[in-house]
């Protein structure tokens, strides 16, 4: 499943907001440097979908606020 995520780095708290089906806004405390914010987004998505972090893959938007992630179900082969 592919999802769209708009990331707000350097926020006061970690938060995930579902805006529409397969569309989220995520606030992270990390700064957008050295891929730290992306890593925290993947942690949040893994927790939200109750999957491992290895099941979350950044597809597009490594350096942009708007990103596309692939979420793999735990039953799917990687």
């Amino acid at each position: 499943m592919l999802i769209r995520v708009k990331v707000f780095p350097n926020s006061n708290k970690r938060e995930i907001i579902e805006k529409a089906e397969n569309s989220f806004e995520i606030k992270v405390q990390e700064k957008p440097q050295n891929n730290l914010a992306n890593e925290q987004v993947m942690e949040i998505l893994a927790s939200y979908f109750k999957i491992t972090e290895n099941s979350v893959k950044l597809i597009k938007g490594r350096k942009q606020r708007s990103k596309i992630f692939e979420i793999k179900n735990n039953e799917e082969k990687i």
Side-chain angles (χ1 to χ4, degrees):
M1 158 174 71
L2 296 179
I3 62 168
R4 294 183 181 273
V5 175
K6 186 166 185 181
V7 178
F8 296 90
N10 215 17
S11 295
N12 292 332
K13 60 182 178 176
R14 294 170 63 158
E15 183 177 19
I16 183 167
I17 302 164
E18 188 170 0
K19 299 303 269 181
E21 186 176 345
N22 300 332
S23 179
F24 297 86
E25 286 184 356
I26 298 180
K27 297 179 181 180
V28 295
Q29 295 168 314
E30 293 291 346
K31 294 181 181 183
Q33 297 170 340
N34 301 324
N35 211 31
L36 296 174
N38 289 336
E39 289 174 7
Q40 195 171 68
V41 168
M42 289 191 282
E43 289 174 20
I44 292 169
L45 288 171
S47 176
Y48 182 84
F49 287 105
K50 296 176 178 60
I51 57 176
T52 64
E53 285 184 46
N54 292 337
S55 299
V56 180
K57 182 179 178 186
L58 178 60
I59 301 294
K60 186 176 180 183
R62 183 175 178 269
K63 293 186 176 185
Q64 286 81 33
R65 276 185 190 235
S66 296
K67 305 175 185 297
I68 297 177
F69 286 90
E70 180 180 22
I71 305 297
K72 291 191 177 188
N73 204 343
N74 282 341
E75 291 88 42
E76 292 180 21
K77 301 273 184 192
I78 295 177

